């Protein structure tokens, strides 16, 4: 039963902070492969680069100034949540295959992801899992197909992969879900090493490949992606993060002084620019990233989140870049965007250093009505929490709230910020795992982590949370889904070459109220909807974010853990179209569905 860094910078981006950034960079000593060729020139295929003696073969590693500018706050005792892995019990038997053969190919280190969807519209949330295979096979049509698990409720999941898809998508990395054609059925976009694929849900339990017809077959190495209405016309557009110029059939080889294979440093590779596909409303898309200001130099992008970060009711786009400055594309209100991450304080960390950005979690963790950003990073860098300053920018508060030291010895990927047991305290989950997959690397597998927010401080609860957190794994994609309709989300974690996990809090500790959406036409999931829940003098705010985490898509539901609050509550929804609606006197411990057709 299922029930119980810095390598390059566009110095014209923001002259306001240019001097500060350059000064900070002067403190940094880079480590990694010692190749000195220009970043804008592709290395010769089949060539080899060597890691210098005494240097660390670390993807994005930095040597920090000896004196930190801030210190972590003292530890505080807290009641920690308990979490167990129910994957086997629930019938989820899936392993993402990297195809690693000891040659440390870069594409082996980054996938894979999970997408949450209700593919058959039965009210239960199913799972779509992309698959890797062997990246050295020229005919990727022979790669193993993806997996689709149908949710049966308390009896668990059943594998419908063969019936629903039954064909290979290539060497895949991530999954994003959205009803791009507005027919009421969730569609799937899969990012690959090579051509990405768009699968249209036919409504009969099967999917058909519409990549060519839709014009979204990006041929580059892609990572995370997001569906959101970026053009403001009510239709779901598609933003795709592209990574490095790298051919697994004829790769650049990187070795240490002993001649052993190592993962190449990202600075060894030119970047692929990102793409934004604008929905034309007829089943096709138009590639318009450059036209709309949604591309940027030196990107090497891995994570994306689309949300209103400035409080003007317009979607902005935040990008986690690897070893270069992150992007924050601010919506200009006319369908175009302006990159302003450095000016807004979320392009680099508080020391002015670039980091190896992987995953993104977006949440109003401090309850001030503005969305904050948490990004996962490389080993010995620490993850970063950017607190939103009332829509006027961000401040790196990582060390101030106790999140700096605990993540230094980890390499983070997928992440979520969410109250996982409804006790009223926001939790933070991160899956970890090194990218250096050479045999015998003691850092390759790492323990996952979970933290609980105490208001002004975070407390790590990993050692008390359960046996799962004592395991060393190589985690990548993370997605939230309420598999049983309990009111709090479970967490799906995709591991490399090890079975996935379905994590569930053992006991619901408080009350909850959840909200989902039924949009009109082109945005039926309601991506971008904002919700404020009020009970007495307490308020909770969240937005249904496009993208987020790493290579994955969450259930399109907003979960509000109310703790001891008993209600009744007032729920206010603001749709991306500007329409609003309210529900007064809402009882707690229920899921409310709002229909855009009822809004005004």
């Amino acid at each position: 039963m299922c029930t119980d860094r810095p390598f390059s910078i566009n110095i014209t981006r923001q002259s306001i902070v240019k001097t500060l950034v350059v000064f900070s960079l002067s403190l940094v000593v880079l480590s990694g492969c010692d190749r000195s060729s220009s970043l804008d020139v592709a290395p010769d295929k089949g060539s080899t680069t060597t890691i210098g003696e005494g240097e660390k073969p670390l993807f994005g590693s930095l040597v920090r100034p000896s004196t930190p500018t801030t210190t972590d706050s003292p530890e505080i005792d807290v009641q920690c949540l308990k979490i167990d892995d129910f994957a086997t019990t629930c019938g989820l038997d899936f392993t993402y295959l990297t195809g690693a053969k000891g040659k440390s190919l870069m594409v082996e280190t980054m996938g894979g992801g999970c997408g949450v969807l209700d593919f058959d519209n039965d009210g239960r949330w199913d799972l779509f899992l992309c698959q890797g295979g062997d990246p050295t096979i020229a005919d990727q049509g022979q790669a193993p197909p993806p997996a689709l698990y149908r949710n049966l409720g308390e009896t668990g999941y059943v594998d419908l992969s063969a019936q629903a898809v039954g064909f290979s998508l290539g060497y895949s990395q991530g999954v994003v879900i959205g009803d791009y054609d507005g027919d009421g059925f969730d569609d799937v976009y899969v990012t690959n090493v090579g051509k990405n694929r768009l699968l249209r849900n036919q409504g009969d339990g099967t999917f058909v490949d519409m990549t060519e017809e839709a014009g979204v077959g990006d041929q580059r190495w892609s990572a995370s992606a997001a569906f959101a209405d970026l053009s403001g016309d009510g239709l779901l557009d598609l933003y795709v993060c592209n990574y490095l110029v790298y051919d697994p059939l004829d790769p650049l080889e990187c070795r240490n002084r002993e001649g052993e294979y190592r993962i190449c440093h990202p600075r060894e590779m030119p970047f692929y620019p990102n793409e934004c596909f604008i929905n034309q409303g007829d089943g096709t898309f138009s590639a318009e990233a450059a036209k709309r200001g949604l591309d940027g130099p030196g990107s090497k992008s891995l994570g994306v989140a689309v949300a209103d970060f400035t409080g003007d009711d317009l979607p902005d786009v935040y990008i986690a870049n690897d070893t270069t400055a992150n992007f924050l594309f601010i919506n200009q209100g006319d369908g175009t965007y302006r990159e302003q991450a450095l000016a807004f304080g979320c392009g680099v960390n508080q020391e002015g250093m670039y980091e190896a950005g992987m995953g993104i979690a977006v949440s109003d963790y401090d309850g001030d009505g503005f969305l904050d950003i948490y990004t996962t990073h490389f080993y010995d860098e620490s993850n970063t929490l950017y607190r939103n300053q009332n829509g006027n920018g961000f401040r790196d508060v990582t060390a101030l709230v106790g999140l700096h030291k605990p993540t230094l010895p980890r390499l983070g990927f997928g992440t979520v910020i969410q109250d996982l047991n409804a006790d009223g305290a926001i939790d933070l989950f991160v899956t970890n795992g090194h990218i250096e997959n050479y045999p015998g690397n003691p850092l390759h597998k790492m323990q996952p982590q979970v933290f609980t927010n105490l208001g002004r401080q975070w407390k790590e609860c990993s050692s008390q949370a359960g046996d799962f957190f004592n395991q060393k794994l190589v985690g990548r994609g993370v997605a939230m889904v309420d598999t049983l309709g309990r009111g709090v989300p479970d967490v799906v974690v995709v591991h490399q070459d090890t079975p996935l996990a379905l994590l569930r809090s053992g006991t619901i500790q408080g009350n909850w109220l959840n909200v989902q959406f039924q949009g009109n036409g082109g945005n039926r999931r309601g991506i971008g909807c904002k919700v404020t829940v009020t009970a007495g003098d307490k308020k909770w705010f969240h937005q249904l974010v496009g993208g987020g985490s790493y290579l994955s898509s969450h259930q399109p539901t907003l979960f509000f853990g109310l703790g001891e609050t008993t209600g009744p509550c007032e729920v206010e929804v603001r749709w991306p179209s500007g329409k609003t609606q309210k529900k007064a006197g809402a009882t707690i411990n229920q899921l409310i569905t709002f229909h855009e057709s009822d809004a005004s």
Side-chain angles (χ1 to χ4, degrees):
M1 295 288 287
C2 184
T3 56
D4 265 19
R5 85 214 168 212
F7 303 114
S8 66
I9 183 171
N10 177 11
I11 60 174
T12 63
R13 264 211 229 166
Q14 296 296 335
S15 60
I16 298 175
V17 297
K18 176 178 66 176
T19 303
L20 292 176
V21 171
V22 172
F23 174 74
S24 298
L25 297 183
S26 68
L27 301 176
V28 178
V29 180
L30 302 176
S31 65
C33 302
D34 61 0
R35 190 181 178 91
S36 59
S37 60
S38 168
L39 296 179
D40 297 325
V41 179
D44 295 334
K45 291 185 176 182
S47 62
T48 302
T49 185
T50 304
I51 298 167
E53 184 176 359
E55 294 181 338
K56 298 179 182 179
L58 296 181
F59 173 157
S61 64
L62 300 174
V63 176
R64 298 182 167 276
S66 58
T67 304
T69 57
T70 61
T71 57
D72 284 325
S73 300
E75 293 187 0
I76 300 175
D77 291 333
V78 64
Q79 183 71 35
C80 287
L81 71 169
K82 305 295 183 182
I83 297 175
D84 293 305
D85 181 3
F86 283 81
T88 301
T89 305
C90 290
L92 292 172
D93 181 18
F94 175 83
T95 298
Y96 180 87
L97 305 173
T98 65
K101 298 178 180 178
K103 290 192 174 182
S104 293
L105 301 181
M106 294 192 75
V107 298
E108 299 167 353
T109 68
M110 307 310 291
C114 171
V116 178
L117 73 168
D118 182 2
F119 88 100
D120 52 3
N121 283 353
D122 66 352
R124 292 188 290 261
W125 294 100
D126 314 303
L127 303 179
F128 190 102
L129 296 146
C130 67
Q131 185 55 279
D134 183 349
T136 65
I137 295 176
D139 182 8
Q140 283 298 316
Q142 303 303 311
L148 177 68
Y149 286 89
R150 184 187 182 194
N151 188 345
L152 301 178
E154 291 190 356
T155 56
Y157 287 85
V158 59
D159 187 350
L160 296 184
S161 306
Q163 303 94 304
V165 184
F167 53 88
S168 172
L169 301 179
Y171 193 86
S172 301
Q173 303 282 271
V175 181
V176 60
I177 307 296
D179 180 8
Y180 80 94
D181 54 1
D183 66 353
F185 291 94
D186 286 330
D187 307 306
V188 180
Y189 188 75
V190 176
T191 60
N192 288 328
V193 179
K195 186 170 70 172
N196 299 337
R197 309 289 283 274
L198 176 65
L199 303 183
R200 181 177 180 270
N201 188 336
Q202 301 192 92
D204 59 0
T206 66
F207 292 83
V208 61
D209 189 342
M210 297 295 291
T211 307
E212 297 302 326
E213 292 85 345
V216 292
D218 202 313
Q219 297 280 353
R220 297 166 285 192
W221 179 6
S222 301
S224 297
F227 277 114
D229 180 9
L230 296 170
S231 61
D233 61 359
L235 303 175
L236 279 188
D237 308 307
L238 177 62
Y239 193 93
V240 179
C241 291
N242 290 319
Y243 192 38
L244 304 175
V245 178
Y246 185 86
D247 183 359
L249 299 181
D250 189 14
L252 174 71
E253 290 183 355
C254 292
R255 302 172 184 257
N256 62 14
R257 289 293 185 186
E258 287 69 44
E260 299 167 326
Y261 287 105
R262 292 295 187 267
I263 294 295
C264 297
H265 198 291
R267 73 176 180 181
E268 301 298 313
M269 312 292 167
F271 69 94
Y272 272 135
N274 297 339
E275 190 55 85
C276 178
F277 296 100
I278 300 299
N279 196 325
Q280 303 298 295
D282 58 0
T284 68
F285 292 79
S286 172
E288 299 183 11
K291 172 183 175 180
R292 294 181 180 269
L294 281 167
D295 62 349
S299 51
K300 302 181 181 179
S301 301
L302 290 173
V304 55
V306 182
D308 177 12
F309 294 112
T310 61
D312 61 359
D313 292 325
L314 296 172
D316 309 303
V317 183
Y318 186 75
I319 305 293
N321 288 325
D322 186 17
T323 70
T324 66
N326 298 327
F327 295 148
L328 177 60
F329 297 106
I330 300 297
N331 196 318
Q332 302 298 294
D334 59 359
T336 66
Y337 293 75
R338 183 182 178 192
E339 203 295 296
Q340 293 185 278
L342 292 177
F344 272 68
C346 56
V348 294
N349 69 10
Q350 59 142 11
E351 296 171 355
M353 296 194 299
Y354 307 158
E355 297 177 293
M358 316 292 190
I360 303 172
V362 175
S363 176
D364 177 20
Y365 85 92
D366 55 359
D368 65 356
F370 290 90
L371 295 175
D372 312 297
I373 301 172
Y374 184 80
T375 55
T376 59
H377 296 129
F378 201 76
Y379 173 80
D380 202 30
E381 284 184 350
S382 114
N383 302 334
T384 301
L385 178 62
Y386 295 105
R387 182 180 181 184
N388 197 322
Q389 305 293 291
N390 299 324
N392 298 309
F394 293 85
R395 181 188 180 192
D396 177 354
V397 297
T398 313
L400 296 176
V401 300
L403 286 174
H404 175 65
K405 288 181 181 178
T407 61
L408 277 173
R410 301 287 190 271
L411 197 164
F413 278 89
T415 180
V416 295
I417 296 179
Q418 178 64 53
D419 186 346
L420 297 175
N421 62 355
D423 65 353
I426 296 292
D427 305 304
L428 165 63
F429 173 84
V430 183
T431 190
N432 300 303
H434 212 290
I435 53 84
E436 287 282 15
N437 61 356
Y438 61 86
N441 178 14
L443 294 178
H444 188 210
K445 295 182 178 182
M446 293 180 169
Q447 292 166 299
Q449 293 173 291
V450 63
F451 303 81
T452 292
N453 182 251
L454 307 179
R456 298 176 64 88
Q457 293 286 298
W458 292 80
K459 168 74 175 182
E460 183 169 5
C461 289
S462 305
S463 61
Q464 301 104 306
D467 292 341
F468 175 79
F469 293 88
N470 295 322
Q471 301 180 59
K472 290 187 176 182
L473 303 156
V474 183
R476 292 299 183 255
V478 170
M480 291 189 299
V481 54
D482 184 0
T483 57
L484 294 174
R486 298 193 310 156
V488 295
D490 305 326
V491 177
V492 178
V493 187
V494 178
H495 301 119
Q496 291 198 330
D497 298 315
T498 303
L500 66 74
L502 176 65
L503 305 181
R504 179 178 299 153
S505 59
T507 305
I508 298 178
Q509 298 290 334
N511 297 312
W512 52 273
L513 185 69
N514 298 333
V515 179
Q516 65 184 18
F517 313 94
Q518 183 64 61
N520 293 335
N523 185 5
R524 298 181 66 88
R525 280 189 159 208
I527 296 172
C529 280
K530 294 180 176 181
V531 174
T532 301
V533 174
T534 304
D537 61 351
K538 295 183 178 180
K539 282 190 176 183
W540 297 262
F541 168 77
H542 209 347
Q543 183 175 23
L544 192 61
V545 175
S549 190
Y550 177 74
L551 304 180
S552 302
S553 288
H554 304 305
Q555 174 181 331
T557 300
L558 294 182
F559 299 92
F560 294 89
L562 306 180
E564 297 180 354
T565 299
T566 58
C569 301
E570 179 181 88
V571 184
E572 181 176 0
V573 176
R574 185 173 183 87
W575 292 84
S577 61
K579 295 180 178 180
T580 61
Q581 57 195 130
K582 291 184 180 181
K583 181 177 179 62
T587 57
I588 60 174
N589 299 329
Q590 67 164 321
L591 171 65
I592 303 175
T593 301
F594 284 87
H595 298 264
E596 189 175 12
S597 58
D598 297 331
S600 59

